[in-house]
Amino acid sequence: MTVTAREIHLKSRPEGLPSRENFELVERPLAAPQEGQILVRNLWMSVDPYMRGRMNDRKSYIPPFQLGEALEGGAIGRVTESRDERFQSGDLVSHFAGWRDQAVVDAAGTRKIDADKVPAQAYLGVLGMPGLTAYAGLTRIAEPKARETIFVSAAAGAVGAVVCQVAKLRGCRVVGSAGSQDKIDWLLQEAGVDAVINYKTVENLQAALAEACPDGIDIYFDNVGGDHLDAALALANEGARFVLCGMIGQYNAGSELPAVHNLFQAVGKRIKLQGMIVRDHFDLLPEFTREMSQWIAGGQITWRETVVEGLENAPEAFIGLFRGDNTGKMLVALDKS
Ligand SMILES: NC(=O)c1ccc[n+]([C@@H]2O[C@H](COP(=O)([O-])OP(=O)(O)OC[C@H]3O[C@@H](n4cnc5c(N)ncnc54)[C@H](OP(=O)(O)O)[C@@H]3O)[C@@H](O)[C@H]2O)c1
């Protein structure tokens, strides 16, 4: 029997903030799985800020999405047919053929997941790519020490919220920035963050940060770039470490990129600025999974997620990342019938 998949394709390349018109819902018959492949029905899919870069026709660390083809990204699904001995129908798996309700995927790039102790979608968030990004950036690049001050931008997001909590577990004083009072309340009251700045309402970000960090900044975990990076450079202590994880403030900026004025601070203060791409740190996956699972079981890590229902609304979920619609991981729940 031929299986028909519903897929979200890239219809046109966005200029500035993407709109629904850049995306198209397409129905397409799937070829039957071949030896070494499995057919998966997706339950959850992830939308992530980095996907914006793949929508540009530009060479980068990951190839651009192609017009008229399905987008891709992290997803959780159930195997409905297997032509690989490692998988059986009914297995819950994590794979990379998101943005569609069903897909034939190579078994080799697919991971079985265990949803006994955590909900399946946690493997797209706290136990998945964003969690590993936070863990690798903080533990491997920033190497935090107890009593150091860390500043985390987009602190209530999928990566940021994990960075904040792991830094607390390492004994740091954690200061975050976020764009709404609801996010700030959650960070302070549930995630254990010491101080949070609402970057949308403060008059002067650097002055607010100086007040929140009386002993300066030892680590800056950058998810935003621009004015956040500038303020952190101005307030950094000697020997500070800056993890350049993402710069969401400029993903839709086109040629009008926000300027960074304080980079010279890095010279006198001997600041280490290091960019990171999570896939360079996949070797940490077993250690990260073990440690994160223990923290979750012990109630030491908490998380939130924002769920948008339905594949047809995945573009809106993605666009919402740039409006700050999400607290914690932004997820799309697909039809579970
Ligand atoms: N290097 C890597 O391997 C890697 C891997 C994963 C993620 N990342 C990067 O990490 C960052 C966070 O990713 P995520 O998946 O955890 O997303 P996220 O933080 O869950 O979602 C994005 C958040 O960014 C904030 N934001 C959006 N536009 C902004 C702007 N113009 N200025 C300031 N804040 C803005 C919004 O929160 P507010 O309400 O607070 O504005 C929004 O909720 C992104 O820069 C992403 O590209 C990098």
Side-chain angles (χ1 to χ4, degrees):
M1 194 184 66
T2 307
V3 171
T4 302
R6 296 166 74 230
E7 305 180 335
I8 303 287
H9 289 202
L10 186 64
K11 192 173 163 198
S12 55
R13 298 201 182 277
E15 282 175 23
L17 183 68
S19 71
R20 267 184 176 253
E21 286 65 49
N22 298 124
F23 304 89
E24 186 175 30
L25 180 63
V26 173
E27 292 200 355
R28 193 172 73 81
L30 291 182
Q34 302 297 301
E35 199 57 41
Q37 292 188 315
I38 52 180
L39 177 63
V40 180
R41 176 175 283 280
N42 284 336
L43 304 172
W44 297 93
M45 58 158 273
S46 176
V47 288
D48 299 274
Y50 80 88
M51 293 170 175
R52 177 64 185 87
R54 294 194 71 186
M55 291 173 189
N56 298 328
D57 191 13
R58 199 180 299 146
K59 199 171 170 214
S60 183
Y61 64 94
I62 185 165
F65 291 128
Q66 295 303 308
L67 291 178
E69 288 184 12
L71 299 164
E72 61 178 17
I76 302 292
R78 221 173 257 293
V79 177
T80 50
E81 187 183 336
S82 174
R83 298 281 314 276
D84 186 279
E85 61 186 16
R86 288 166 288 185
F87 295 93
Q88 292 181 338
S89 284
D91 283 347
L92 207 49
V93 291
S94 163
H95 61 94
F96 207 60
W99 292 92
R100 57 201 103 180
D101 63 354
Q102 298 192 77
V104 172
V105 296
D106 290 339
T110 302
R111 188 159 68 106
K112 249 189 243 189
I113 60 165
D114 176 1
D116 281 353
K117 298 201 177 86
V118 291
Q121 68 273 24
Y123 288 90
L124 296 176
V126 71
L127 269 170
M129 184 278 282
L132 178 62
T133 304
Y135 183 86
L138 187 67
T139 62
R140 183 173 266 174
I141 297 174
E143 299 183 296
K145 297 179 207 57
R147 288 179 293 285
E148 285 189 323
T149 297
I150 174 170
F151 172 44
V152 183
S153 52
V159 173
V162 176
V163 174
C164 288
Q165 294 177 80
V166 176
K168 281 306 293 180
L169 289 168
R170 295 287 165 106
C172 295
R173 178 161 192 282
V174 179
V175 175
S177 70
S180 77
Q181 193 55 45
D182 179 57
K183 294 183 188 195
I184 291 171
D185 291 345
W186 177 70
L187 286 167
L188 292 173
Q189 288 156 24
E190 291 178 49
V193 172
D194 297 290
V196 189
I197 294 160
N198 187 333
Y199 75 94
K200 287 186 178 163
T201 59
V202 289
E203 245 169 63
N204 181 321
L205 181 64
Q206 189 177 316
L209 193 56
E211 201 175 316
C213 304
D215 298 325
I217 292 171
D218 301 298
I219 298 170
Y220 173 46
F221 198 103
D222 192 15
N223 291 315
V224 168
D227 57 348
H228 281 70
L229 176 56
D230 241 351
L233 282 164
L235 298 167
N237 291 329
E238 196 165 306
R241 287 87 70 204
F242 279 39
V243 182
L244 306 183
C245 173
M247 299 196 182
I248 194 167
Q250 66 181 57
Y251 294 174
N252 296 309
S255 55
E256 301 287 304
L257 293 177
V260 176
H261 303 280
N262 292 328
L263 196 54
F264 187 55
Q265 296 281 331
V267 177
K269 292 172 174 171
R270 288 82 154 176
I271 300 170
K272 177 175 97 170
L273 297 118
Q274 187 170 328
M276 70 166 292
I277 296 295
V278 61
R279 71 168 180 222
D280 298 338
H281 302 278
F282 280 172
D283 61 298
L284 282 178
L285 196 58
E287 171 191 319
F288 156 73
T289 307
R290 195 173 53 248
E291 205 157 12
M292 184 58 73
S293 302
Q294 281 167 5
W295 286 329
I296 291 171
Q300 290 158 293
I301 293 273
T302 182
W303 70 91
R304 271 212 192 165
E305 52 197 32
T306 298
V307 177
V308 169
E309 296 283 339
L311 179 68
E312 62 283 5
N313 294 318
E316 205 50 44
F318 172 69
I319 297 163
L321 289 168
F322 303 100
R323 292 188 298 248
D325 289 356
N326 60 307
T327 305
K329 181 75 194 112
M330 179 69 101
L331 292 162
V332 180
L334 304 183
D335 183 12
K336 298 187 185 58
S337 58

